[in-house]
Amino acid sequence: MMIGGDVDVVESLRPIFETLAPTADTGWGRVGPSGAGHFVKMIHNGIEYGLMQSYAEGFSIMHAKEPLGLDLTQIANIWRYGSVVRSWLLDLTADALKKNPTLDGLEPYVPDSGEGRWTVFEAIDLNVSAPVITESLIRRVRSREDDNFSDRMLSVMRHEFGGHAVKKT
């Protein structure tokens, strides 16, 4: 819990936060004045976008390396213990792969709840470079396009300038 507010108010509510947190002294804290908690949580969610995108890309690369016959569920479980990339998000990924190793029946559509967008807007407003979070947001938006005009446009441009092959439906 990332809590914003006056010190005295947060201290008066300390018993509630300590009860809700994983332990009395971990998993929560006053991060600044009123509004700071929401801001820190927004940035947290932007970072989450980048982490999720990295896992998705890594597992996608392994999935595409068909000659190796990699067991993605097994790999996720190996990485969960003692690996530098271990995390609760990886735990959830391993659980999801155990339930559906090939992701059958799932559409490649990824919604966003707004925090990633707000994080990108803040980065721009503050002149802070945040390419991973920004690209993660763009990939989510891209996943919602049923008929990607940009990719078709790139294909015809390559065809026009270099005679490259174009795949037709």
Side-chain angles (χ1 to χ4, degrees), residues 84-149:
V84 71
V85 299
R86 70 182 179 256
S87 70
W88 181 55
L89 183 56
L90 184 59
D91 295 342
L92 297 173
T93 302
D95 289 343
L97 286 168
K98 183 178 179 182
K99 293 173 192 166
N100 187 354
T102 58
L103 308 182
D104 288 336
L106 299 176
E107 291 290 326
Y109 182 97
V110 186
D112 73 282
S113 55
E115 291 88 349
R117 291 173 189 244
W118 301 331
T119 301
V120 170
F121 297 156
E122 282 294 322
I124 292 167
D125 286 346
L126 296 168
N127 291 316
V128 174
S129 175
V132 172
I133 295 170
T134 302
E135 180 61 22
S136 299
L137 172 64
I138 290 167
R139 294 294 301 169
R140 286 184 180 209
V141 171
R142 172 82 181 265
S143 78
R144 301 172 207 156
E145 296 179 19
D146 289 334
D147 186 16
N148 189 283
F149 188 82

Side-chain angles (χ1 to χ4, degrees), residues 7-78:
V7 174
D8 295 341
V9 173
V10 172
E11 282 303 313
S12 71
L13 298 172
R14 175 181 281 275
I16 295 170
F17 302 136
E18 289 177 344
T19 299
L20 293 173
T23 69
D25 59 348
T26 64
W28 79 278
R30 179 187 175 275
V31 297
S34 184
H38 288 297
F39 183 81
V40 171
K41 176 61 173 161
M42 173 189 71
I43 301 303
H44 166 278
N45 287 12
I47 292 168
E48 180 183 299
Y49 278 35
L51 291 170
M52 291 174 71
Q53 186 67 34
S54 292
Y55 280 130
E57 290 174 9
F59 279 94
S60 183
I61 293 165
M62 290 186 291
H63 175 73
K65 192 67 173 181
E66 292 177 7
L68 295 182
L70 300 173
D71 181 338
L72 301 184
T73 305
Q74 177 197 27
I75 293 165
N77 279 307
I78 291 169

Side-chain angles (χ1 to χ4, degrees), residues 157-164:
M157 284 189 275
R158 288 187 75 242
H159 177 72
E160 291 300 315
F161 76 71
H164 300 281

